[in-house]
Amino acid sequence: MRIKGVFGLVLILTELIFTELLLEENPMHSYQVYQSESYVVVEKKEKPEELLYKEYIRFSDSITNVCLCTKEGRMAKNEGEAYLHVDLGEIGDWWGDPFGNLERDAEVE
């Protein structure tokens, strides 16, 4: 009986820990990315003055999507792996650097 109780308690604690980790808010959700005229803007939702990255895009009419993501195109989990990706449709892709990652990663440049 004791083993079942201890095993049940371990299962409950494990579930709580994993649920907490899985539901932990992604810090990248605190950023807003949008197009404003010929610029792509990255700003903090709560405090836009804290981080405001603004980049002129020459082919702004061709922008089909903008996002913060990894260089593989997956959702970024933190600023250290996040790049600004601008999809220019038929023209191609453009990468921005709001968090200084391009300086450390010549492959994306």
Side-chain angles (χ1 to χ4, degrees), residues 37-102:
E37 297 175 6
S38 294
Y39 293 89
V40 172
V41 179
V42 178
E43 66 184 19
K44 279 212 163 197
K45 289 180 182 176
E46 299 296 319
K47 299 178 182 178
E49 67 281 354
E50 193 172 300
L51 173 73
L52 179 63
Y53 175 85
K54 193 173 183 179
E55 188 71 44
Y56 174 77
I57 305 292
R58 182 175 176 192
F59 304 104
S60 61
D61 292 343
S62 301
I63 293 176
T64 60
N65 191 25
V66 294
C67 66
L68 291 171
C69 63
T70 66
K71 63 183 178 181
E72 293 83 18
R74 294 189 311 266
M75 185 173 63
K77 295 180 183 152
N78 57 55
E79 290 88 353
E81 66 179 27
Y83 301 91
L84 171 63
H85 177 250
V86 180
D87 184 351
L88 296 170
E90 292 181 15
I91 295 174
D93 297 331
W94 184 88
W95 294 92
D97 194 19
F99 305 106
N101 293 322
L102 288 176

